[in-house]
Amino acid sequence: MSTFTIIGGGIAGASIAYHLAKSNHDVTVYDRSDAGQATAASAGIICPWISQRRNKKWYSLVTEGARYYPDFIRELEAKTKQSTDFRRNGAICLFKDKHIQQLAYERISAKQEGSPEMGEVRKLTKEEVKKMHPHLTDYYPAVYVEGGGQISGRSLLNALKEAIIYYGGKWINQTIAPDSCEGTVIYTAGAWSGEYYSNPDVRHQRAELLHLKIDGKAPMKQTPVVMGLGPMYIVETDLNQYAIGTTHEDTEDFSITPSIENQDYLHGEAQRYFPDTEIHDQFMSVGLRPFTRDSLPYIGYTKDGVFVVNGLGSTGLTCGPVIGREVAAYLSGKETVLNLNDYAY
């Protein structure tokens, strides 16, 4: 049994702690519950196959993350008896015109052989869009990805914390300096990483989501995730309630005060995608997403002798659980599925 101290209780730190504690290691998590934590504010979409990013190391990480999710959630929820709000409810991807729809269909479906967990991929008729998501506009051509899904970051963190304690780990809500920790230090401080270390270089973005409620008859079943034009997305949070996002702002500020301009912009986007319903804004959520070089997560030891995991960016909830599995295996001297040297650049 080894001793590990983890600084930062977002998805990376919590997942690593869970997997280490489950392997009978002595684990303590220190988390000061900073407002603006990316995990808690995230919409939690899990659908990496639709991305057009060409970074193979990033794609290997997020697709392995999506592959791991069902087993990971099944075991976590069975152990804690807590829901993580994980749903494999599919994803409707909208496109500007039929030409782009066809290109996207070919690009996405070509990935099925290497990722059978993504399920069926098909183009949707307007009638099919309305059947799957009665509130959604049918103006844009769409592609459906059966394996797409979503999770509540906040619910997932609560379940992970419960499981860590169940397996004998400790979760302490306070700050601590890395040089005063016992055992191997795992530093997962997200956007706040620079308070102690400058390596790797971590920058962050403010991402804002609008939570809203719409009038109208609620669908009889859960609606799929919607991937809109550009970076826009919509997830169902409750009956007739949705979150739409996101805005991105590179910043060195740590303010999480919502922007009225961004709220107005997102409200307008909601009207675009839900044109036949009345929309009532509920609240804005703001998260500070950490990014590292080439927007590729950093996973490995630094020159300071600290094991760092950071820079998960907008896909933190997709890859966070599998990073926890892989880091726990690596630090326990076991074989990993991914080559973590790819992320210790």
Side-chain angles (χ1 to χ4, degrees):
M1 182 176 72
S2 300
T3 299
F4 296 92
T5 300
I6 298 171
I7 301 176
I11 185 56
S15 180
I16 294 168
Y18 164 71
H19 287 88
L20 285 170
K22 194 171 66 163
S23 297
N24 298 315
H25 292 294
D26 183 357
V27 179
T28 302
V29 179
Y30 286 90
D31 182 62
R32 65 188 189 192
S33 303
D34 287 294
Q37 180 196 72
T39 302
S42 173
I45 296 171
I46 304 166
C47 193
W49 316 283
I50 66 173
S51 174
Q52 297 188 62
R53 285 187 62 179
R54 296 184 179 183
N55 188 311
K56 292 181 180 180
K57 295 175 182 179
W58 174 85
Y59 187 71
S60 294
L61 179 61
V62 294
T63 51
E64 183 63 25
R67 187 176 299 119
Y68 179 49
Y69 242 97
D71 290 340
F72 164 70
I73 293 298
R74 192 178 302 114
E75 181 178 344
L76 180 63
E77 291 186 341
K79 186 61 64 178
T80 63
K81 310 302 181 187
Q82 290 190 22
S83 172
T84 61
D85 295 320
F86 174 64
R87 310 176 189 173
R88 288 191 73 193
N89 45 347
I92 297 174
C93 310
L94 305 180
F95 300 95
K96 185 172 64 174
D97 55 45
K98 289 187 176 181
H99 173 67
I100 297 177
Q101 175 201 34
Q102 179 62 30
L103 293 176
Y105 169 74
E106 294 171 2
R107 172 177 56 80
I108 296 168
S109 59
K111 300 177 182 179
Q112 283 180 292
E113 183 176 354
S115 299
E117 65 278 0
M118 68 191 290
E120 180 187 18
V121 179
R122 59 189 172 91
K123 293 185 286 186
L124 297 180
T125 64
K126 291 184 175 183
E127 292 74 20
E128 288 173 323
V129 169
K130 281 296 184 183
K131 185 176 181 180
M132 288 184 178
H133 202 314
H135 300 310
L136 185 64
T137 178
D138 61 3
Y139 180 79
Y140 300 105
V143 172
Y144 177 69
V145 180
E146 182 184 26
Q150 66 184 83
I151 191 164
S152 164
R154 195 177 298 277
S155 297
L156 177 56
L157 284 182
N158 288 338
L160 283 169
K161 181 178 178 180
E162 183 76 17
I164 291 163
I165 295 171
Y166 173 87
Y167 284 115
K170 296 180 283 294
W171 188 290
I172 301 173
N173 290 113
Q174 67 181 55
T175 188
I176 189 171
D179 57 8
S180 64
C181 296
E182 296 183 358
T184 300
V185 177
I186 304 174
Y187 193 59
T188 59
W192 295 268
S193 178
E195 292 182 11
Y196 283 104
Y197 300 109
S198 59
N199 179 35
D201 182 41
V202 177
R203 58 187 175 84
H204 64 272
Q205 289 181 339
R206 267 172 54 97
E208 298 189 47
L209 290 81
L210 172 62
H211 293 255
L212 54 89
K213 187 172 184 178
I214 61 177
D215 288 340
K217 185 178 179 180
M220 297 302 293
K221 59 180 181 179
Q222 295 172 340
T223 57
V225 168
V226 177
M227 307 302 293
L229 305 188
M232 197 59 55
Y233 55 75
I234 303 169
V235 295
E236 183 183 51
T237 56
D238 206 338
L239 291 178
N240 280 352
Q241 296 181 49
Y242 296 88
I244 181 169
T246 179
T247 62
H248 301 89
E249 177 190 351
D250 291 328
T251 180
E252 296 181 358
D253 189 3
F254 287 86
S255 169
I256 58 164
T257 302
S259 160
I260 298 299
E261 285 186 353
N262 286 336
Q263 181 174 347
D264 290 343
Y265 166 71
L266 291 172
H267 183 92
E269 288 294 293
Q271 291 177 316
R272 176 187 189 184
Y273 292 106
F274 296 144
D276 302 320
T277 60
E278 188 171 346
I279 297 168
H280 306 279
D281 295 358
Q282 294 183 299
F283 63 93
M284 293 279 284
S285 60
V286 181
L288 303 177
R289 292 176 175 170
F291 290 87
T292 45
R293 195 188 76 186
D294 301 328
S295 295
L296 184 69
Y298 185 94
I299 306 171
Y301 286 102
T302 69
K303 61 184 180 182
D304 301 294
V306 173
F307 197 90
V308 171
V309 178
N310 212 324
L312 277 61
S314 60
T315 50
L317 279 168
T318 298
C319 62
V322 81
I323 286 176
R325 183 194 74 185
E326 296 293 279
V327 168
Y330 176 81
L331 294 177
S332 300
K334 299 177 182 178
E335 185 176 356
T336 60
V337 174
L338 298 167
N339 181 1
L340 294 190
N341 290 328
D342 286 342
Y343 309 97
Y345 43 83

